[in-house]
Amino acid sequence: RGVVVVDMAHGLGRVVWTLACLWAVPTACFVPAGRANPLARGAMAPPEGSSLSSSPSSRRTWQRAAVTAAAAATVTMATGGAAAAATSSVVPGGWPLVLVGTSEDSEVVKHLAEQAGEMWGPVSDLDTLNGLLAPGAAAAGGNSVVVVAPSLVMLDPNAAALLREHTMVVLVNDGSSTALEALRAATTYEFAHDAASEAAEAAGARLWPQLSKLIGFVRTNAHGDPAQRQAEVALEAGLDTFFLSLTFGHMRDIVPCLKEFEKEVDLLELRADLLERYDLDFVIEQVALIRQHTQLPILFTVRSAGQCGTFAEDPEAIAELGRFGLRAGVEWLDVEACWDEHPAIEAMVDESQSRYPATRLLGSYHVVGKHTSREGALDILNMCRLNGRADGAKTVLQAFTAQENLDVQAAMADFAAQHTGPEAMPACGICLGEAGRLSRVLNRHFTPVTHDLLPAVAAPGQLSAATIMDERRSLFLPSRQFYILGHPVDKSPSPDMHNAAFKRVGLPWTYSKFDDETIDKFVETALAAPDFGGASVTIPHKQAIMPHLDEISPAASAIGAVNTVVVQEPEPGVRRLYGDNTDWIGIRRPIAALLRDDAACKGVAVVVGAGGTAMAAVYAMQSLDLPVLVYNPRTPSKGHDLAARFGSDGAATPTVGLDEIDKASVEAACAALGLEAPAVRAVVCTLPASAGFTLPEWMVDDTAASKPAVLDVVYKPPLTPLIKQAMETGCGYVLGSKMLLEQGVEQSAIWTGRRAPRTDIAAALLANMEGQGGLDVVSEGLNR
C-alpha cells in the first residue's frame, strides 16, 4: 500500500483522510499551523463527531494514521503549502520528555505531564511510541511530554528497548508495581511517592519542582557540545567555589540548616557512603529531600575506605551505588580513579556518558598516610582525568609539613600547563590534616568545606568556606573598584545587583555609579587607578569607551558597542583592558528559552529600533539563526542602515529593513529574502517606554499563524504597552528586567571567573524596583 498525504485545510482533504483511515491506508496528516494538533494533550482519538470514534478498531486506525505523520522524518506544519523545517539546534537530543508511571492511569503522572508541557498519550502500543519518538516527529518539540503506559513497557520488550535508547525517560514510582525492576531497566531517572499515604494532588505538587529542575538541568547541559560543556564547567567549578561535604546519615536532618549552607557554598556533596542505607529507594528519597528545600546542585560521592571514606572496597558495589545517584538526577558524580580502569567502574562511567550526558564527572584520588612528591601529585591528577572523560579532577594528599601545601599547588600549575584548550579542566588539590590547612586556602577551585552545623567534618583539616575566604582576603584577594559608567545612572539598579553578588561570593569588591556626560574624567581617574576592577557601560558611552581599551571581544566588535570592561592580567604586573558586550546575551537567553518550546516552527525576528541595544538585538537574533527584519518607526532609514550593517558581506543570516510593519510589508521583505511568508517568531523592542509601541493586530490576533515571543528592553516601568499587549493576546513575553538580570549575571561571571549567584542578583534587582507596579509579574518573570 502507498501512503496518502492529506491537506486537512480543505473539506475534500478531510473526506480523503476519513476514507484512507477506513481502508487502513497509512496516512500523513498535515496540520495547518494555528489549528489544533489532533495528537496534542493525549487526544489520541478521531475528531469530534467522526464515525471513527465509534469503535476501538476505528480509533486504533486513526492513531496509526496520525502517528505516521509524527514519525515522518520530514514532519511539516503547513499553511497554504508552505513547509517549515525542524530546527534541531534548539532542542537537545533525548527530547521529548517521557513519563512512565508504576500504575496505569496515574493521576500524579498526568499532573506532572500537564505541568511540563504538551501531553501525548497515554501510549499503549509500540507503533504509536515508535512514531512519537522518531527523529523529526511532531512530539519532538521542546515542551512535549509523552506518557507511556507501564503495561506496554512490561509486556513488550521492544518498547522497553526503545525507551532505553532515549535519554529523558522518567519513572514515577508510587510503590505499587510488582514489576518494578522491568520498569527501572527501561527508564533513566526516577521520582517516588507513596500512593498509600500521599494524595495524588499533594504528590504532584511536591514532585513538580523537582521534575522541573531536572528538565532544566538536562536541557541546559545535555547538548553534546564539548566546548560549551567545558565553558559551563569552568564557571561551575570556577574561582572561589566550594562544596559542602554532608555527613548526615539521613537528609531530613539537613533541612533546618540549608538556608545557612546556601549563604556559603555552591554545591552539596552527598556522601552516600555515610548514609543509613544504600538501597535505591533510600537514595532517591535522600536526593528528593535535598531537592525539596534548595536549588543547590548535588555532588554524589561513594568514598571507599581506602580513599578516606567508609564504603567497602568493592568496585562492583561502588558502581551500583553510583548508578543510583545518576538515576536520582544528580548534577555531579565523583568517580574514584584508584580503581585503575576496573570493568565495573568503567561500565558506570560509560553509562553516565551515554544515558546521563548532563551529569558531570569528577575524577578523584586520595593518598593517606604517606608523602607524595610534586611529580607524583601530577601523575595522580592525570589519573583523575579518567582518560579524558572527567569534567574535573580532584586530589587529596597527606601533609606532614608546609611544603606539601606548596607541592600540590605546583602540581596543579603543571597540570594546567599540560592540559590546555579542549583538554583543560578545573582541578582541586588539597592536603589532609592540620598541616594541610594552607592548601585549602590556596586552592581556588571546588574546595571541599565543612560547616559548624554539621555533626562531624568529612575529612581531617577541613575548614568552613567563611574561614577560607577570610584567609584569602588577608593573603591575596585585594579590594577592587567597579562602576557603572553612563548618564544618567542615578536610578540604575546595577550597584545593588553587583554588590549583592560580590557579598555573596565573599569578594572585597565595591561597585558604584560614575555619572558623567563625557568619559574623559572616568578615563583619567577610575580607569587608570590601580584598584580598578571593571565597569558596566551604558548610554551614551558604549561606543566612546572602545578606543580606550586594549582589546575588544568578537561580539562587541560585531555589535559595535561595549557594555562591559574587564581587567585582564595575562601575567603578573601586566594589565590589559578588555571590552565585551553582554546585552545580546541578556536578549538571547530568555528568547531562546521561549522559542525552544516550539522548535519545529521556522520564522523571522523583528527588531524595533536602531540604536546600540537594537544592534545587540540583531546580533542575538542572528545567533538563533533567525532572519531579522529591522523596523525603526520614527526614522525608517536608520533601520535600513542597521540592517545593511548586519546583512552585508554575504551574512549567513539575512537582515533587511522595513518602512512599515503592516502584513504586506513584512511579507514583501520575507519574499525578498527568499522566505515563503514565515511566521514572526520573535519581536525585540528597543524603543523607550514613552514611544508607546505595540504590535499590529495581524501579528497577535487569533488568525496569526503563530504568535511571537516578545521582549521589551524597558524595565521601568515593567509593564509597558507592548508587554501588556503580549499578556492580553497570549504571546510569550520577556520583561526588560529579565534582560537586565541576564546581562548582569553574565557580567558577574566574567568579572569573578565563576558562576554568578543569580538568586542574590535577582533579589537585589527586585528590591530596587519596589513601587514600580506589577511587581508580582516582575518577580515571576525573573524566576522563570
Side-chain angles (χ1 to χ4, degrees), residues 286-508:
Q286 302 312 295
V287 172
L289 278 169
I290 297 174
R291 293 275 190 250
Q292 280 179 251
H293 300 283
T294 183
Q295 291 294 310
L296 290 175
I298 297 172
L299 166 64
F300 192 83
T301 299
V302 185
R303 186 67 66 228
S304 62
Q307 291 285 294
C308 209
T310 64
F311 201 79
E313 295 190 44
D314 179 348
E316 284 84 4
I318 291 172
E320 185 68 8
L321 189 49
R323 285 190 179 90
F324 293 171
L326 290 169
R327 186 168 183 81
V330 298
E331 288 84 356
W332 283 81
L333 176 68
D334 181 290
V335 180
E336 292 182 339
C338 63
W339 299 108
D340 194 23
E341 301 182 9
H342 188 283
I345 302 298
E346 286 291 294
M348 179 191 69
V349 171
D350 289 342
E351 185 172 343
S352 170
Q353 294 193 308
S354 62
R355 300 197 71 192
Y356 303 91
T359 297
R360 285 78 159 90
L361 300 180
L362 178 66
S364 68
Y365 196 108
H366 291 59
V367 177
V368 183
K370 62 180 182 181
H371 170 74
T372 305
S373 67
R374 171 177 174 175
E375 294 74 20
L378 177 59
D379 290 341
I380 289 172
L381 284 168
N382 279 316
M383 288 179 61
C384 293
R385 285 179 52 82
L386 306 179
N387 294 319
R389 293 176 295 174
D391 296 283
K394 173 194 169 195
T395 184
V396 181
L397 309 177
Q398 185 72 54
F400 298 93
T401 67
Q403 185 60 44
E404 279 92 353
N405 294 281
L406 303 179
D407 286 346
V408 72
Q409 289 302 308
M412 298 252 290
D414 295 340
F415 181 75
Q418 196 174 84
H419 302 287
T420 59
E423 291 189 355
M425 67 173 58
C428 165
I430 56 174
C431 296
L432 295 168
E434 288 299 308
R437 289 167 65 100
L438 177 60
S439 70
R440 299 176 186 272
V441 176
L442 297 177
N443 181 74
R444 301 291 299 280
H445 299 271
F446 245 21
T447 307
V449 296
T450 187
H451 196 281
D452 291 342
L453 296 177
L454 291 179
V457 296
Q462 269 192 350
L463 304 172
S464 70
T467 298
I468 290 173
M469 288 305 296
D470 283 342
E471 291 295 327
R472 289 179 185 172
R473 286 190 293 268
S474 67
L475 290 175
F476 55 78
L477 281 180
S479 61
R480 289 280 186 262
Q481 299 297 320
F482 292 76
Y483 303 90
I484 178 166
L485 169 65
H487 179 75
V489 294
D490 57 305
K491 296 181 180 180
S492 170
S494 293
D496 294 340
M497 295 163 60
H498 288 294
N499 283 322
F502 295 157
K503 180 180 179 180
R504 164 61 182 79
V505 300
L507 291 170

Side-chain angles (χ1 to χ4, degrees), residues 130-379:
N130 257 315
L132 292 173
L133 300 187
N143 69 336
S144 296
V145 185
V146 176
V147 175
V148 179
S151 56
L152 174 62
V153 182
M154 292 184 288
L155 298 176
D156 192 331
N158 292 321
L162 177 62
L163 291 182
R164 279 194 295 271
E165 296 174 1
H166 199 67
T167 58
M168 195 59 194
V169 185
V170 178
L171 177 65
V172 182
N173 180 7
D174 66 4
S176 67
S177 177
T178 57
L180 185 58
E181 291 311 310
L183 293 174
R184 281 176 166 167
T187 54
T188 317
Y189 298 99
E190 183 171 338
F191 292 94
H193 71 100
D194 187 349
S197 61
E198 187 176 23
E201 184 176 350
R206 177 177 61 82
L207 292 177
W208 166 241
Q210 300 175 48
L211 178 60
S212 177
K213 182 176 175 63
L214 177 66
I215 292 170
F217 168 60
V218 175
R219 271 182 162 167
T220 303
N221 298 296
H223 44 64
D225 182 343
Q228 185 176 340
R229 183 184 183 100
Q230 184 185 44
E232 292 163 351
V233 169
L235 292 178
E236 291 173 26
L239 291 173
D240 303 310
T241 51
F242 301 97
F243 65 83
L244 181 65
S245 303
L246 301 176
T247 53
F248 294 101
H250 197 298
M251 292 304 111
R252 62 173 172 252
D253 299 324
I254 77 165
V255 173
C257 313
L258 280 172
K259 293 302 177 186
E260 292 302 312
F261 294 164
E262 288 176 341
K263 295 177 182 178
E264 296 188 13
V265 302
D266 306 283
L267 181 142
L268 298 175
E269 182 186 31
L270 176 54
R271 282 285 300 272
D273 56 300
L274 301 178
L275 292 177
E276 294 175 1
R277 288 166 32 204
Y278 299 145
D279 58 278
L280 175 56
D281 290 333
F282 189 71
V283 169
I284 289 174
E285 178 188 356
Q286 302 312 295
V287 172
L289 278 169
I290 297 174
R291 293 275 190 250
Q292 280 179 251
H293 300 283
T294 183
Q295 291 294 310
L296 290 175
I298 297 172
L299 166 64
F300 192 83
T301 299
V302 185
R303 186 67 66 228
S304 62
Q307 291 285 294
C308 209
T310 64
F311 201 79
E313 295 190 44
D314 179 348
E316 284 84 4
I318 291 172
E320 185 68 8
L321 189 49
R323 285 190 179 90
F324 293 171
L326 290 169
R327 186 168 183 81
V330 298
E331 288 84 356
W332 283 81
L333 176 68
D334 181 290
V335 180
E336 292 182 339
C338 63
W339 299 108
D340 194 23
E341 301 182 9
H342 188 283
I345 302 298
E346 286 291 294
M348 179 191 69
V349 171
D350 289 342
E351 185 172 343
S352 170
Q353 294 193 308
S354 62
R355 300 197 71 192
Y356 303 91
T359 297
R360 285 78 159 90
L361 300 180
L362 178 66
S364 68
Y365 196 108
H366 291 59
V367 177
V368 183
K370 62 180 182 181
H371 170 74
T372 305
S373 67
R374 171 177 174 175
E375 294 74 20
L378 177 59
D379 290 341

Side-chain angles (χ1 to χ4, degrees), residues 14 17 38 43 45-54 62:
R14 288 192 287 273
W17 172 78
E48 191 75 26
S50 168
S51 60
L52 297 177
S53 62
S54 59
W62 188 91

Side-chain angles (χ1 to χ4, degrees), residues 629 658 660-672 677 696 698-699:
L629 310 181
L658 291 173
E660 299 291 343
I661 201 170
D662 59 281
K663 189 172 184 179
S665 297
V666 171
E667 289 180 345
C670 290
W698 70 267
M699 205 178 285

